[in-house]
Amino acid sequence: MLRRLAFVTFPCLLQALLVLACEGECITGITKALVGNYSVPFDIASQSIADTIFSRLVQNPKAGIPAIAYISPIIDEYHKRAEDNMRTTIFKTYFHGKCQDPVTNIDPDGCPNPDCPVVCGTPGSMVHFYSVFRYRAFNSTVNTWNDIIDSDSTPYKLVERAVLAAAPSSSTNNSGPNQKRNRQLLRFMRFAYSNTHPPDDQADITGRLSVDNSDDDVDIERREDPRAKELKTYLRQFRLQLTTNCGGTATGKTNSLPNCSWEQSFKNYILSFP
């Protein structure tokens, strides 16, 4: 009978231990709360960048198109990625695992709640290391934006296309001497390729690097167009803009990012999970 009771109670004890970690609803709730709290500083930063692009690049905007519309592909993609990236940054790569001492298998004082001095996957650990928690949430927001504005990403290409189409023509557009230079470059590329690839491949490259190939001309124009470089410069100001909106220095120190801390209310929310 005693053996049976021991067998029955062990799963119950194990279940009690498992619910002390931040899992399931705890991870989902905290992730959504962080992304939600960052929505206002994110909107202010992205609007500021859009206004700069609108005033300095577009200059002659079409009536009825707001500045923010020009970077909407980036914003839409951010909203798609934000929660997954935040979950990875906070939980999968930092606040996870057990709190127990590896030798004694005993939780340190304050673990799992309310103030756990060990980095692990519990609410108390996030409370104790709140400055790190806050900093990683900030970095997740910035890194998500920076990943999206990579030159090869579809959202960036859509933004660039829209801005360059609306912006005044550049003095370095693909005409006159520049068009001649681009075609000379394409001829050189085809010649160089023919010296390093067998004849069977040359027919293929002739089509892809033809001097009359509009896709190649457009790609070269995009890389050389100073307006595209200027656009990239403005988009890369997101970290600076968000730091300003958050009211401080983007570091893991205790007093950084005071406007994006929400410390007391967020600690209370974290500790509402078992």
Side-chain angles (χ1 to χ4, degrees):
M1 182 65 179
L2 290 176
R3 183 179 302 173
R4 183 178 180 183
L5 285 174
F7 177 78
V8 171
T9 56
F10 177 74
C12 296
L13 290 173
L14 179 60
Q15 184 178 9
L17 290 174
L18 289 176
V19 297
L20 295 177
C22 185
E23 299 176 338
E25 291 183 2
C26 175
I27 291 177
T28 300
I30 291 173
T31 299
K32 287 183 177 294
L34 283 172
V35 174
N37 280 12
Y38 263 100
S39 62
V40 172
F42 173 87
D43 287 347
I44 295 172
S46 55
Q47 183 66 61
S48 178
I49 290 172
D51 289 342
T52 300
I53 293 170
F54 194 73
S55 63
R56 298 186 182 180
L57 276 175
V58 177
Q59 296 179 6
N60 297 312
K62 296 180 180 179
I65 301 179
I68 199 69
Y70 285 95
I71 65 169
S72 61
I74 293 173
I75 294 173
D76 292 343
E77 187 66 20
Y78 169 82
H79 290 305
K80 293 177 183 177
R81 301 186 191 185
E83 286 191 14
D84 284 344
N85 288 356
M86 187 69 75
R87 184 180 296 107
T88 296
T89 302
I90 298 297
F91 296 103
K92 292 183 179 180
T93 60
Y94 201 81
F95 290 105
H96 64 92
K98 297 180 179 180
C99 307
Q100 290 94 342
D101 184 295
V103 177
T104 64
N105 290 324
I106 298 175
D107 284 338
D109 291 341
C111 298
N113 293 327
D115 191 329
C116 180
V118 178
V119 175
C120 55
T122 64
S125 183
M126 285 179 274
V127 167
H128 185 86
F129 296 99
Y130 193 82
S131 60
V132 177
F133 175 85
R134 172 178 52 218
Y135 180 57
R136 292 181 75 83
F138 175 89
N139 269 351
S140 177
T141 306
V142 172
N143 291 340
T144 300
W145 175 280
N146 287 343
D147 287 345
I148 295 168
I149 66 168
D150 182 86
S151 298
D152 293 327
S153 77
T154 298
Y156 172 77
K157 290 178 180 178
L158 291 172
V159 169
E160 184 186 85
R161 185 182 305 168
V163 170
L164 296 190
S169 298
S170 170
S171 60
T172 58
N173 60 17
N174 197 35
S175 61
N178 292 293
Q179 184 180 39
K180 181 179 180 180
R181 184 176 68 251
N182 290 346
R183 292 186 174 182
Q184 289 173 339
L185 175 61
L186 288 170
R187 290 192 186 98
F188 171 77
M189 291 167 64
R190 185 171 56 185
F191 173 77
Y193 189 92
S194 68
N195 287 335
T196 57
H197 290 73
D200 289 344
D201 290 340
Q202 292 179 28
D204 177 62
I205 197 64
T206 299
R208 288 189 285 116
L209 293 182
S210 169
V211 295
D212 295 323
N213 190 306
S214 59
D215 289 340
D216 288 319
D217 285 345
V218 169
D219 189 51
I220 288 177
E221 179 183 0
R222 181 172 69 84
R223 291 198 301 269
E224 293 185 344
D225 196 325
R227 298 172 301 171
K229 293 181 180 179
E230 190 175 354
L231 170 64
K232 196 75 171 179
T233 298
Y234 298 143
L235 291 173
R236 286 172 177 161
Q237 292 177 355
F238 181 79
R239 184 183 185 89
L240 176 61
Q241 291 286 344
L242 194 64
T243 301
T244 300
N245 296 338
C246 288
T249 304
T251 69
K253 295 182 179 179
T254 302
N255 296 323
S256 66
L257 307 171
N259 297 341
C260 297
S261 175
W262 316 289
E263 185 165 354
Q264 192 55 55
S265 60
F266 217 101
K267 282 183 176 180
N268 291 338
Y269 178 67
I270 291 172
L271 292 175
S272 70
F273 295 97

